[in-house]
Amino acid sequence: MLRTGVLVFSALGLTALGCVIIFFNSTEFKEILIRNIKWDRLQHSEIKYSNSFIVVESENENSSVINVRGAAQFFINCTCPAFVEPNKTEDCSHESELSSPMETRPDQDPSFSILLGVLTRADLYERRHFLRMVYGIQSTPLARIDLKFVFCSLYKDDQRILVPLEIMRYNDIIILDCEENMNNGKTYTYFSSLPTMGLRYDYVMKVDDDIYFRYDKLAESLRPLPREDTYYGFVIPCESQDPFREYMAGMGYALSWDLVEWIQSSPIAKNKSDGVEDMLIGIWLNEGNRGKNRFNAKPAMYNFPGSDIPACAHDLVPDTIAVHKLKDMDRWFQVLKYFNVTLAVNESKLYHL
């Protein structure tokens, strides 16, 4: 039975009646209802307006969970009267494509996991909200990609109110035990803290907050690589294609989980935590004889055209993994327009685009 919950609807006007649903992609939600619940009274003209969400706690054993393109999870109790035609009885015994709780469908089961850790500052609220939009509409069946915003300890009264609100709403923030900094140990604290947090990923990424990653291309690039002793990114210097020459640029690089655990336990990293953070990663790995599997993501990772270091930049290309140096909204708009990220927006009587 539904015990507690906060329900928010827009334009659909359903009542819960014991049902538990979380959704964002309304078109897929309608298709799943029709396919699994066999309730065809829900008209397309209604459902496509319902950019709704429900935040609930449920202990209903008949609820099922399905991941839909990484955008949300659906909790559907198929005995709920709201999803059954009048005078008909529906139960959960029919064949369904819904999976067991907390499992993905077999055809959408990702083969590996990535933590995208965006190192930023606590007071950059608007930037986080914008990044949640541009990353929140992305998904890939190839990998589970978790987006987390990473910064040091809170130090202002407004942060102690607004950041907890973000955590309650989005649960996508990691607060490190450090004073805010860029090159005085923050990156070391980030990597060395992760194994103590109950987290585990195949790859952990440190990325800037002025870079745009495309999930599909990132997953395609990482998928065939070794899951151990792997160091991946945009090799420095910009002119080089040799991933063993120096180090990967701080715009965004990935370490396999064993290297994250090694950083936590290594005196090499602990004793050299202050300095240019991306350069230090290369120094640690070289001195520790680690990162024997190194991969350069050029030319699919690059700086925005016309950026301050010409050798690191080039024109936008279709096979892009990531674009860096998006220092203002005009650059963001150009990138998002080039990749046509709003192509999938639904038509609606509620707006004119």
Side-chain angles (χ1 to χ4, degrees), residues 146-202:
D146 289 347
L147 174 71
K148 300 288 185 182
F149 297 99
V150 183
F151 42 83
C152 291
S153 300
L154 307 181
Y155 58 94
K156 296 179 182 177
D157 288 342
D158 66 308
Q159 294 174 358
R160 296 186 179 96
I161 297 297
L162 297 178
V163 172
L165 284 175
E166 288 185 80
I167 293 172
M168 294 168 66
R169 175 62 184 90
Y170 301 106
N171 193 28
D172 61 0
I173 287 176
I174 295 175
I175 302 178
L176 305 174
D177 186 12
C178 56
E179 293 186 5
E180 193 57 66
N181 69 90
M182 180 177 179
N183 290 318
N184 297 111
K186 181 177 180 178
T187 298
Y188 168 75
T189 304
Y190 166 56
F191 284 117
S192 63
S193 299
L194 290 176
T196 70
M197 295 179 177
L199 303 174
R200 193 189 190 290
Y201 294 85
D202 292 299

Side-chain angles (χ1 to χ4, degrees), residues 90-137:
E90 195 82 18
D91 59 36
C92 294
S93 61
H94 62 75
E95 183 178 352
S96 172
E97 295 185 25
L98 293 173
S99 63
S100 300
M102 304 313 296
E103 294 178 356
T104 56
R105 286 170 50 177
D107 62 340
Q108 295 181 340
D109 186 20
S111 62
F112 66 104
S113 57
I114 305 167
L115 172 61
L116 202 71
V118 180
L119 268 64
T120 184
R121 301 198 312 270
D123 53 359
L124 297 180
Y125 305 107
E126 291 186 6
R127 186 171 303 178
R128 284 197 295 279
H129 293 322
F130 176 73
L131 292 175
R132 286 186 182 108
M133 284 196 298
V134 298
Y135 285 122
I137 62 173

Side-chain angles (χ1 to χ4, degrees), residues 2 4-9 14-17 19 53-56:
L2 179 65
T4 63
V6 179
L7 281 67
V8 181
F9 294 93
L14 297 177
T15 56
L17 297 176
C19 293
F53 63 89
I54 308 174
V55 181
V56 298

